[in-house]
Amino acid sequence: GNYWMKMAKVAPGSGRSAARPILLALAASFVSAWVLAGSAAIAQSFYGGSFLANSLVTALILWAGFTAVRFITHDAFEGRPAGLAVLNVAHELVMLLVMALVIGLFGISSA
């Protein structure tokens, strides 16, 4: 947290409420999980095999192709430190892999 605050130039105790950003992040996470679940279902239909493995691989591919590339590009153009991009990209990878793990363990219905 402290490293991120320093690199993102966020002042601790700035008096701003974190409630709104946290609620927005929560809503965005639900949208991400919904898209990931749909993508994993499509991958399962196409590849067959283990739904858990397909969920994890799908999360990794979506992360690399959309999230990581977007963060790196935006941070480069905005002149942000590379360490901040690495931290944010790693956070997103862990978040998507955890979502994929949960989705993969729930399985998929054949209905």
Side-chain angles (χ1 to χ4, degrees), residues 75-86:
D75 285 1
F77 275 102
E78 292 173 0
R80 292 183 173 197
L84 181 60
V86 169

Side-chain angles (χ1 to χ4, degrees), residues 71-109:
F71 264 105
I72 292 166
T73 303
H74 283 241
D75 285 1
F77 275 102
E78 292 173 0
R80 292 183 173 197
L84 181 60
V86 169
L87 183 65
N88 285 330
V89 166
H91 171 265
E92 292 292 321
L93 175 61
V94 170
M95 185 182 71
L96 282 172
L97 289 176
V98 169
M99 284 181 188
L101 181 64
V102 171
I103 290 165
L105 290 173
F106 269 102
I108 189 169
S109 70

Side-chain angles (χ1 to χ4, degrees), residues 28-94:
S29 292
F30 277 113
V31 171
S32 294
W34 179 64
V35 170
L36 178 57
S39 300
I42 292 168
Q44 179 66 26
S45 174
F46 187 78
Y47 295 114
S50 166
F51 183 65
L52 176 59
N54 282 330
S55 297
L56 291 168
V57 170
T58 299
L60 185 63
I61 290 169
L62 292 176
W63 168 82
F66 294 108
T67 304
V69 170
R70 180 178 46 84
F71 264 105
I72 292 166
T73 303
H74 283 241
D75 285 1
F77 275 102
E78 292 173 0
R80 292 183 173 197
L84 181 60
V86 169
L87 183 65
N88 285 330
V89 166
H91 171 265
E92 292 292 321
L93 175 61
V94 170

